[in-house]
Amino acid sequence: MNAALFRKLRCGLAAMVLLGAGQTASAEATHGIAMYGDPALPPDFVSLPYANADAPKGGRVVTGNVGGFDSLNPFILRGSPPWQLAHLTHETLLGRSWDEPFTLYGLLAESVETGAGRKWVEFTLNPAARFSDGSPVTVEDVIWSFETLGTQGHPRYRSFWTKVDRIEQTGPRRVRLTFNVEDRELALLAGLRPILQKAQWQGRDISEAGIDDIPVGSGPYTVANYEVNRHVTLTRNPDYWGADLPYRRGTHNFDEIRIEFYGDTTVMMEAFKAGLISYVREFNAEAWEEEYDFPAVQRGEIVKSEIPHRQPSGMTGFVMNTRHEPLDDWRVREALITAFNFDYINDTLTGGRQPRITSYFSGSELGMDHGPATGRVREFLAPFKDSLLPGTLDGYALPEGDGTARNRGGLRRAVRLLSDAGWRVVEGRLVDANGAPLSLTVLLQQDGLIAQASAMMDIYARALSRLGITLKIESVDNAQYAERVAQYDFDLTMMRRSVSLSPGNEQMFYWGSDGVNEPGSRNLMGMTSPAAEAMIETMVQARERDEFVAATRALDRILTAGRYVIPIHRYSVGRIAHKAQLAYPRDSLPIYGDGIGFLPTVWWVEADNQEQAN
C-alpha cells in the first residue's frame, strides 16, 4: 500500500469516526419527549402543572360503575375488567402530561433517547423502580412485556408490535426498540406500553388469565379485595417506589379507592344521593340544571363542579355496522342520519343546552372546514378522489331537521335517498327488491349513558316507523355487550371516541381495515378506506405541525362524509357532582379537562375533612 493511498484511507476512516461521533452526540438522553418540539417542563420540574404538589394524603373515595366485571386483568381480550385498573395499578416507561398535546415524562424510565428520524428509541430504567411486591423492574420485564402483549395481549397492543424490528438490552438498565417503519410517533407509543412482571407469568398463558390472576403492577395502588360484579377496593401502596418522583408529586392522594357496581344509573344515582358514593359524572346538561337540588346539595354537602377543556369533540353517537347489509350503502346511512331529528331530540332530552358534534375533530384546529377542501387538505385527498364519498372534497354538513316533532322535510329527503338505494314502501313496510323488510337492532349497554341513549332511540324508532323501518332496542349487561361488540354482533350501537390534540397511530386502530374482521378492534363501523389510512400515515410521519394539521383535517372529512355515525351532542364541559370535602386544583386545570389523568388522580380530601370523608 503506497503512502498516498494510506493517507486517503486514514482520512476516510477519520471522517467516518467523526460522522459516527456526531450521530451519537445528536442522540441525547432527556427527561421527556414531545411529538413536536420540546417538552414544556424543564428537567428539574417540581410537579405537573395541574397537580397540587402539597396536596394532603389520606382519606377514601368511592366511585360507581354501572354493570359488572369478571376480570381484573385489563391487558388481555378475555373478560370485562373495571376500566380504572390499568391507570391506577400499573405503570409505563413514560407518563403523559395532560396539559400538553402529546408530551411524555420519565416514569419507570428515568430518561429517553432517540435517533435521527426516531427510527429507534432507548429507555434507561429508574434504578428505584419496583413492583408492588418489592422486586425490581428489570430490562427483562420490559422486553417480556412488549413481546407478550404484542402477541398475546389485547388487540390494541398488537399493531404497535408489528412495527418493531427488534428489542434488545443495551446496558444494565437500558433497552432499545428499533422500528421497521418510518413513524415518529412510535417512540412515544413505546413509552406508553404497560410493563408487567415476567416472573408472575413464567410457564403460564396470560391470555387465559382468570379472575384470581391479578397482574402484579408497579403503580400507586394494589387490589386489596373484591367481589365479582359487586365491588373492587384499591389501597395506596405505602411503599410505592415513585411517590417522590416529580411526575407523581401531588397525585394519587387517596389512601383507598373503592369501585362499587350498580345495575343501572338510577340505582347508582340514589346511592350517590344517600352518600354511599363520593361523586358522579353527569352527561345530561338539563339533568345537571334541573335534578341536582336534592337535600345534600341544598345543605352544601354535595358540590357541583364544571371542568372546561380544550380538546376536540371526538365522536359520540350511534355507529352503523357496515358489515351488515344494507348499512354498507352510504345512501341508506345518510337516510338514517337524516331521519334522526337531532334538534327535537336534543331539545326534548337536554333542553337544547348541548351543541351537536359536527365532525370527529370539531371544536379544534384539527377539525375540517365545512366548505370545499382547499390547499394542502385538497392535495392530500386528490389522489383518492374517485373513491371518496360525495361531499368529502366539495363539502359535507350534517342534515338538519325542520324543528318540528314530525320533521316532515327530513323524512321526505330520507325517502328519496332510500328510493335511490332500491327500497320502496309496500303495505306500510320498507322493503328491498326481493320484498325483504328493513329491520334494524340497536344494541345498548348498561352504563352512564344508557338512560339517555334509550330515550333517544325511543324517539328515533317512532320516526323510522313512519318510513316503514323497524328499529328494535336491545339493552344488555356489560359482559354480554362486550362480547357482542367484540364480535360485531349489532346493527347500531352507542359509540364514544375521544380524540386528543395529537392523534396518531390509535386512529388506525379506530378506522383501519385490519379491524374489519379482527375481533375486538375499535373499528366498530367496519370501514375500509385506503384514503383514511393514507391520511393517518401522513399524520404519524409528519415533521411539521402544518402538515400534520392538514392531514388530520383531511381524515376528518373522510370520516364525516363517510356517514358512519349518527352524531349527537358534544360534551364541551365536564360536570362532576361530588362531596364537598373533595378538592382539586381549580386554578390550574389541564387542557384535557376531566380526562383520565384528572379524577381521582389529582384530587384529594381536605385535611380537616378526612375523618368525615371516611
Side-chain angles (χ1 to χ4, degrees):
M1 181 181 294
N2 61 45
L5 179 59
F6 179 79
R7 283 195 299 272
K8 289 181 180 180
L9 286 173
R10 185 172 62 184
C11 290
L13 289 170
M16 291 173 65
V17 170
L18 288 172
L19 178 60
Q23 289 176 336
T24 302
S26 67
E28 185 175 333
T30 62
H31 69 299
I33 182 173
M35 186 64 190
Y36 299 102
D38 298 318
L41 302 179
D44 60 349
F45 75 93
V46 174
S47 67
L48 293 169
Y50 52 91
N52 174 10
D54 300 318
K57 302 291 186 184
R60 176 176 184 260
V61 67
V62 182
T63 184
N65 286 8
V66 173
F69 69 96
D70 58 4
S71 170
L72 294 173
N73 188 333
F75 309 111
I76 60 175
L77 183 58
R78 179 181 181 183
S80 299
W83 65 267
Q84 296 95 333
L85 289 191
H87 311 289
L88 297 173
T89 61
H90 287 71
E91 293 182 314
T92 50
L93 295 168
L94 305 177
R96 186 163 186 173
S97 169
W98 296 102
D99 202 43
E100 300 176 54
F102 196 7
T103 299
L104 310 178
Y105 294 96
L107 189 49
L108 287 174
E110 64 182 4
S111 65
V112 57
E113 185 176 340
T114 59
R118 294 185 177 174
K119 295 179 180 178
W120 57 265
V121 62
E122 188 165 288
F123 302 96
T124 301
L125 293 180
N126 191 313
R130 295 288 186 275
F131 289 108
S132 59
D133 63 3
S135 63
V137 178
T138 67
V139 170
E140 191 175 4
D141 292 313
V142 174
I143 294 175
W144 178 87
S145 296
F146 273 92
E147 291 178 340
T148 301
L149 293 181
T151 56
Q152 302 174 42
H154 193 280
R156 63 176 170 267
Y157 301 120
R158 298 184 188 182
S159 176
F160 171 85
W161 184 243
T162 65
K163 300 176 182 179
V164 176
D165 180 64
R166 63 184 182 276
I167 182 171
E168 57 194 331
Q169 183 165 358
T170 53
R173 293 186 288 113
R174 295 169 70 88
V175 60
R176 176 181 289 204
L177 291 93
T178 303
F179 307 113
N180 56 29
V181 295
E182 183 177 344
D183 185 336
R184 287 174 48 80
E185 192 187 33
L186 292 178
L188 283 80
L189 296 183
L192 292 176
R193 299 300 94 169
I195 304 304
L196 281 63
Q197 186 185 62
K198 177 182 178 180
Q200 180 187 10
W201 302 100
Q202 203 73 38
R204 303 170 62 196
D205 185 350
I206 190 173
S207 66
E208 296 298 323
I211 186 68
D212 294 326
D213 298 315
I214 305 172
V216 174
S218 63
Y221 291 92
T222 60
V223 176
N225 59 72
Y226 68 91
E227 185 177 349
V228 174
N229 292 330
R230 299 293 297 275
H231 68 83
V232 177
T233 299
L234 307 177
T235 56
R236 188 157 54 85
N237 183 359
D239 300 318
Y240 170 54
W241 74 273
D244 295 325
L245 287 179
Y247 181 79
R248 288 302 199 200
R249 198 164 294 142
T251 70
H252 302 100
N253 302 306
F254 301 112
D255 283 344
E256 181 180 298
I257 299 174
R258 184 178 175 91
I259 308 168
E260 294 279 0
F261 289 79
Y262 296 91
D264 56 50
T265 53
T266 301
V267 177
M268 187 172 74
M269 189 64 184
E270 290 304 313
F272 175 60
K273 292 178 180 179
L276 299 179
I277 56 179
S278 306
Y279 63 88
V280 295
R281 289 179 168 91
E282 179 55 64
F283 300 102
N284 188 315
E286 184 172 42
W288 183 252
E289 294 296 330
E290 304 294 337
E291 299 178 12
Y292 284 77
D293 59 350
F294 48 89
V297 175
Q298 297 171 359
R299 294 192 298 266
E301 297 168 4
I302 297 295
V303 174
K304 295 167 62 180
S305 292
E306 295 191 356
I307 314 297
H309 66 78
R310 287 176 277 166
Q311 63 181 327
S313 63
M315 179 53 67
T316 301
F318 299 95
V319 62
M320 293 174 272
N321 186 358
T322 64
R323 301 172 185 85
H324 295 178
E325 295 181 350
L327 298 176
D328 57 343
D329 188 325
W330 73 267
R331 294 166 298 184
V332 173
R333 300 198 299 273
E334 174 80 348
L336 292 174
I337 295 171
T338 302
F340 188 85
N341 191 357
F342 173 78
D343 292 332
Y344 174 73
I345 291 173
N346 190 40
D347 187 62
T348 301
L349 300 181
T350 75
R353 292 182 173 92
Q354 294 175 214
R356 192 178 198 182
I357 292 171
T358 56
S359 74
Y360 290 66
F361 294 89
S362 60
S364 75
E365 67 167 338
L366 304 178
M368 70 178 195
D369 296 323
H370 287 279
T374 59
R376 295 293 298 278
V377 175
R378 195 171 192 89
E379 290 176 18
F380 285 146
L381 293 172
F384 305 94
K385 62 180 181 180
D386 293 336
S387 64
L388 297 174
L389 292 185
T392 309
L393 279 169
D394 298 331
Y396 175 77
L398 291 173
E400 297 181 2
D402 59 16
T404 68
R406 295 191 64 84
N407 189 29
R408 288 187 176 88
L411 293 182
R412 282 195 295 269
R413 181 171 180 268
V415 167
R416 291 194 296 271
L417 287 161
L418 291 167
S419 177
D420 291 344
W423 293 83
R424 67 188 191 282
V425 177
V426 176
E427 296 179 354
R429 296 192 307 170
L430 191 72
V431 299
D432 63 13
N434 298 317
L438 180 49
S439 178
L440 300 170
T441 299
V442 58
L443 181 69
L444 300 176
Q445 79 177 119
Q446 297 169 352
D447 68 3
L449 296 175
I450 184 65
Q452 193 173 105
S454 295
M456 288 181 178
M457 287 295 97
D458 285 337
I459 298 173
Y460 187 43
R462 293 194 292 271
L464 292 183
S465 69
R466 293 197 286 274
L467 295 175
I469 300 172
T470 300
L471 180 67
K472 302 174 184 176
I473 304 170
E474 188 172 355
S475 300
V476 298
D477 63 38
N478 283 15
Q480 294 181 66
Y481 182 84
E483 177 61 25
R484 290 183 58 178
V485 168
Q487 301 300 324
Y488 313 116
D489 181 17
F490 61 89
D491 293 323
L492 292 86
T493 191
M494 187 78 175
M495 184 184 84
R496 187 175 186 183
R497 290 284 177 269
S498 296
V499 295
S500 74
L501 291 164
S502 184
N505 278 274
E506 80 286 347
Q507 299 298 301
M508 197 69 80
F509 190 52
Y510 292 166
W511 329 119
S513 58
D514 286 348
V516 173
N517 297 313
E518 178 182 311
S521 85
R522 303 296 291 279
N523 184 357
L524 297 186
M525 63 271 288
M527 65 178 283
T528 298
S529 171
E533 295 187 11
M535 297 310 109
I536 297 170
E537 291 292 340
T538 303
M539 289 160 59
V540 300
Q541 294 175 14
R543 299 276 182 126
E544 302 294 334
R545 179 78 180 173
D546 289 347
E547 181 182 12
F548 165 77
V549 170
T552 308
R553 289 177 177 173
L555 174 65
D556 199 21
R557 283 178 171 268
I558 295 167
L559 293 171
T560 306
R563 287 99 160 163
Y564 300 111
V565 180
I566 304 170
I568 57 172
H569 42 252
R570 64 172 301 193
Y571 300 98
S572 54
V573 63
R575 300 178 178 91
I576 306 173
H578 56 90
K579 290 187 175 181
Q581 57 265 33
L582 298 184
Y584 62 93
R586 295 176 179 271
D587 298 327
S588 54
L589 297 175
I591 61 173
Y592 282 100
D594 179 29
I596 290 174
F598 187 62
L599 174 61
T601 307
V602 297
W603 287 54
W604 67 89
V605 176
E606 292 287 4
D608 294 341
N609 295 315
Q610 286 191 9
E611 183 175 342
Q612 182 181 354
N614 292 324

